[in-house]
Amino acid sequence: MGIEAVVFDLDGVIIDTEEVWEQVRRAYVAEHGRAFLPDSQDRMMGMSTPEWSGHLATEVGVPRTPEQVAADVLGRMAERYRTTLPLIPGAVETVRRLGARFPLGLASSSARILIDQVLETAGLTDAFRVTLSTEEMPRGKPAPDVYLAAVEKLGLSPAVCAAVEDSSNGLRAAAAAGLAVIAVPHGVYPPAADALAQASLVVTSVSELTPERIEGLR
């Protein structure tokens, strides 16, 4: 039994936006006289839009509703994407290279509006058969919902699919869904040891991924 499809994460795998998310959300929180909790950044990586906006509103204490927080922050992120799209070197080429061999899916914690903008700007709108946001799921990562939905829409079993992830919650989500997990650890936000241990393959750059390496995972 080999790998028949690949599902990509977006932030930290195709675009290097984890630092942008942190900058935008920290600045927004500070404008409202609040500060991140010690574990806020780690916890929000992989969360869906309702989850992280709820965290900022109810736990960090931003005096806005979660819906207002989401609208404010997403608007600022969209503006960043319109001016600068921080593509990870080699990511577009890797997507095209793997897409020539496998059907591809995208399972992202970003909001739908940001996913669509990134793919359009990067010229990758046609690269994925399935694109899903965790905001469209009952639960965000580390829950397996978005990966289970992606492989279902691809018409395949998780056992014959691989996931490309960078964050602790993303790695945990893909593993919980039963996919073969490929880790591309982020240099600034490395995954926790327990999450990284669930990967079948660890690479230092997404550019290292080839159909041959992925086919041999299972």
Side-chain angles (χ1 to χ4, degrees):
M1 180 173 62
I3 297 299
E4 298 179 20
V6 179
V7 184
F8 280 83
D9 179 35
L10 182 64
D11 294 86
V13 172
I14 295 174
I15 51 173
D16 192 7
T17 57
E18 300 294 2
E19 289 183 73
V20 179
W21 275 106
E22 182 175 6
Q23 291 166 6
V24 168
R25 289 192 287 215
R26 279 190 186 275
Y28 178 73
V29 166
E31 288 171 17
H32 290 279
R34 301 293 192 272
F36 270 25
L37 302 179
D39 62 348
S40 287
Q41 176 61 23
D42 286 341
R43 287 173 62 188
M44 287 190 293
M45 290 178 69
M47 279 187 176
S48 66
T49 301
E51 289 169 337
W52 62 252
S53 61
H55 172 74
L56 294 182
T58 61
E59 296 184 63
V60 174
V62 174
R64 303 270 283 167
T65 67
E67 294 76 16
Q68 290 171 327
V69 170
D72 293 344
V73 172
L74 291 176
R76 296 185 185 196
M77 288 297 297
E79 181 60 32
R80 287 284 195 105
Y81 287 174
R82 280 192 287 270
T83 56
T84 306
L85 187 64
L87 285 166
I88 289 176
V92 170
E93 294 80 4
T94 299
V95 168
R96 292 296 184 189
R97 180 168 63 249
L98 297 185
R101 168 62 183 84
F102 305 103
L104 303 181
L106 186 75
S108 174
S109 297
S110 279
R112 168 59 59 185
I113 187 174
L114 298 183
I115 293 172
D116 293 345
Q117 182 62 60
V118 168
L119 295 183
E120 179 181 346
T121 303
L124 290 174
T125 301
D126 65 334
F128 298 94
R129 294 193 187 180
V130 174
T131 64
L132 291 173
S133 165
T134 54
E135 71 176 10
E136 298 159 351
M137 301 292 118
R139 300 172 297 174
K141 303 172 185 178
D145 303 27
V146 71
Y147 277 106
L148 291 172
V151 299
E152 181 180 4
K153 286 183 176 293
L154 287 168
L156 295 168
S157 161
V160 295
C161 296
V164 185
E165 273 284 0
D166 69 304
S167 70
S168 295
N169 285 340
L171 293 166
R172 292 173 182 137
L179 286 75
V181 182
I182 301 168
V184 191
H186 194 285
V188 179
Y189 307 102
D194 70 288
L196 190 61
Q198 300 189 65
S200 300
L201 174 64
V202 180
V203 296
T204 58
S205 167
V206 71
S207 297
E208 296 175 34
L209 296 178
T210 63
E212 293 73 23
R213 295 191 77 176
I214 292 173
E215 285 171 344
L217 289 178
R218 284 183 172 168

